Amino acid sequence: MADKRVDTLLTSLGGRSVHQVDTEAYRAYRRAWEEYPRTGFVAPFPLDLDVEVTARCNLRCRFCRTTYQGSRYPKDLLDEALFARVIDEGAALGLRAVKFNWRGEPLLHPSLERMVAHAKDRGLLDVFFNTNAQLLTEARAAELVRAGLDRVTISAEGCSPEVYEANRVGGSFDTLVRNVEGLRNARDRLGSAKPRIRIQTVKIPELRGREEAYTEFWSPLADEVACLRLKEEVDYERNKGRVSPTWVCPQLWQRMVVACDGTVVPCNEDDLCRLALGRAGADRLQDLWRGPRLESLRRLHRAGCSHEEWSCNRCPLRASDLAEEQAS
C-alpha cells in the first residue's frame, strides 16, 4: 500500500494481500497510486472515487465518527442513476477504483449489487467496500460474488462476543462470524477467487497483547488480517495544532469522495464537508478535480502549511500520522 498506511498487516494468507492482483493494468494503477502524491502529478481524473451509497449506519461503535456526528449527515440513499453518471464519467478518464462507502454501512442500500456490477462492466479494476457485515447474508454474498466484487474489508473488533459487542454497539458477534463464513462459502460454491476478504480491527485497548489470538481466530476465514491505528474521531479539537512541514496528504492526488447527497469533497476525512468542492450531477467531477479550490489545497500541502486549513488541522489521519512520527 502506498497511501500512508495506517495499519499493521498481521497476516496475509498465501503470502498475498488483498491488493496483490497479478495483472499489468492493476500494477500500473498501484504504481500511479504511489507516484502521483510523491511527484505532485495531477491526472485528468482521480484514480479512486469513494462513492458513499448511504451515510446511515446500523451500529453505534464507540470509536466511530458516525456515532457522534451522524445526526449531521444526510439521510439520503445515493441515487442509482447519479452513481451511473459518476462512474461513466470517470471510466472514460482514467478512474481505476471505486469504494462504496464513506461514513455509513453500504449494505443498507438495496441496489448495492447492481452498482457493483455496473462498475465492473465499465472496466474498473478495484471495486470494493468496507462493512460491519451484520447484513451480509449468504444470499447477498452470492449476489456480490456474481456482480464481480473484487474485495471486501470486514470490521471486527476482537474475537469474542464480549469484546466485539461492547465496541460495535448493536452488533452480534455470532451474526458476524456466520456471515463471514457465508461469504467464503458463497465464493467457494461459485468457484470464484473474488472477493478477497480482509478482516480488520482498530487497536482498541482490549486487543493490546492479544494480536496473535486475534490473528489465529480470523485467519481461517480471511485472506488477510490487519490492525489499524485508532484515530481520534470523537473530538476533532484534540487533533488540532500538530505541525510538520513534511506532511502532505496523499489523498489530494489519489481520490475524491462523492457523498450520498451528491456533495463532492477532496478526501475521506472531511466528514462534515467543510471542504466541499461542488455537487455531482451539477458539476463535472473532472472540473472539480482540477479546479481552483483543490489546486489551492494541494499547493498549501506541498508548501508544508496543511495546518492552515481548518479541516486539515483537525484531520484524524494527519494527527495520527504525526503522532506516529513523533513516537518513532
Side-chain angles (χ1 to χ4, degrees):
M1 293 285 290
D3 51 337
K4 281 194 176 290
R5 291 200 62 165
V6 295
D7 58 275
T8 301
L9 190 63
L10 300 181
T11 184
S12 177
L13 305 189
R16 300 183 69 214
S17 85
V18 294
H19 282 278
Q20 291 175 324
V21 177
D22 192 22
T23 68
E24 178 51 38
Y26 191 89
R27 289 194 294 270
Y29 152 55
R30 294 311 295 178
R31 285 196 298 270
W33 188 265
E34 294 183 5
E35 292 170 5
Y36 290 177
R38 186 174 65 246
T39 63
F41 177 73
V42 181
F45 202 85
L47 293 165
D48 166 273
L49 286 178
D50 288 3
V51 181
E52 178 184 63
V53 296
T54 179
R56 306 172 192 169
C57 191
N58 53 329
L59 301 185
R60 290 291 177 265
C61 303
R62 296 191 327 194
F63 44 79
C64 180
R65 68 184 75 185
T66 302
T67 298
Y68 303 93
Q69 303 279 8
S71 63
R72 303 172 68 178
Y73 297 166
K75 306 305 179 188
D76 314 56
L77 290 174
L78 182 70
D79 180 74
E80 194 172 350
L82 177 60
F83 168 79
R85 288 176 60 186
V86 164
I87 294 301
D88 293 353
E89 179 188 354
L93 292 167
L95 178 66
R96 293 291 179 260
V98 61
K99 179 163 71 77
F100 285 91
N101 65 283
W102 178 25
R103 299 167 293 189
E105 168 52 52
L107 287 166
L108 288 169
H109 200 299
S111 300
L112 179 62
E113 294 85 350
R114 286 204 302 269
M115 290 189 282
V116 169
H118 183 87
K120 292 306 297 180
D121 287 346
R122 293 301 183 269
L124 270 64
L125 301 174
D126 193 14
V127 177
F128 64 106
F129 60 83
N130 299 356
T131 176
N132 58 47
Q134 291 293 304
L135 303 175
L136 188 61
T137 63
E138 191 160 349
R140 289 201 78 178
E143 290 183 47
L144 288 163
V145 173
R146 293 189 186 99
L149 185 69
D150 291 298
R151 58 187 174 99
V152 62
T153 294
I154 297 171
S155 300
E157 272 55 55
C159 50
S160 69
E162 294 76 18
V163 172
Y164 176 82
E165 292 171 11
N167 284 278
R168 294 210 164 252
V169 178
S172 162
F173 185 76
D174 291 343
T175 297
L176 171 67
V177 174
R178 181 173 66 250
N179 288 353
V180 177
E181 290 174 341
L183 174 58
R184 284 204 59 117
N185 291 341
R187 188 178 73 173
D188 294 346
R189 186 175 69 253
L190 293 168
S192 177
K194 303 187 302 184
R196 292 186 63 78
I197 302 167
R198 171 179 166 127
I199 302 288
Q200 72 181 26
T201 181
V202 296
K203 292 181 180 179
I204 55 174
E206 297 95 320
L207 283 180
R208 291 175 188 156
R210 295 187 52 80
E211 292 87 354
E212 185 174 347
Y214 182 86
T215 303
E216 288 177 356
F217 182 89
W218 288 112
S219 290
L221 297 175
D223 301 300
E224 182 176 298
V225 181
C227 187
L228 280 66
R229 297 202 306 263
L230 183 58
K231 297 183 292 184
E232 177 55 68
E233 296 184 349
V234 177
D235 181 4
Y236 290 159
E237 291 301 316
R238 293 178 63 181
N239 297 326
K240 181 180 176 182
R242 299 179 187 273
V243 177
S244 170
T246 63
W247 195 87
V248 179
C249 181
Q251 294 196 37
L252 304 180
W253 287 266
Q254 295 166 332
R255 61 168 22 122
M256 282 198 309
V257 178
V258 179
C260 58
D261 64 354
T263 302
V264 179
V265 295
C267 77
N268 59 19
E269 297 293 349
D270 183 31
D271 69 306
L272 296 179
C273 300
R274 288 178 174 266
L275 298 174
L277 305 172
R279 187 168 295 273
D283 302 298
R284 296 195 309 173
L285 297 191
Q286 59 192 292
D287 295 335
L288 300 179
W289 174 245
R290 304 193 71 166
R293 178 70 180 96
L294 191 43
E295 282 298 310
S296 175
L297 191 58
R298 292 184 183 114
R299 286 195 298 271
L300 192 70
H301 275 247
R302 292 188 71 83
C305 300
S306 59
H307 56 282
E308 293 181 9
E309 171 60 55
W310 192 96
S311 293
C312 299
N313 196 23
R314 292 158 178 80
C315 171
L317 173 60
R318 178 178 174 278
S320 59
D321 278 353
L322 296 182
E324 185 169 270
E325 284 182 12
Q326 293 166 1
S328 63

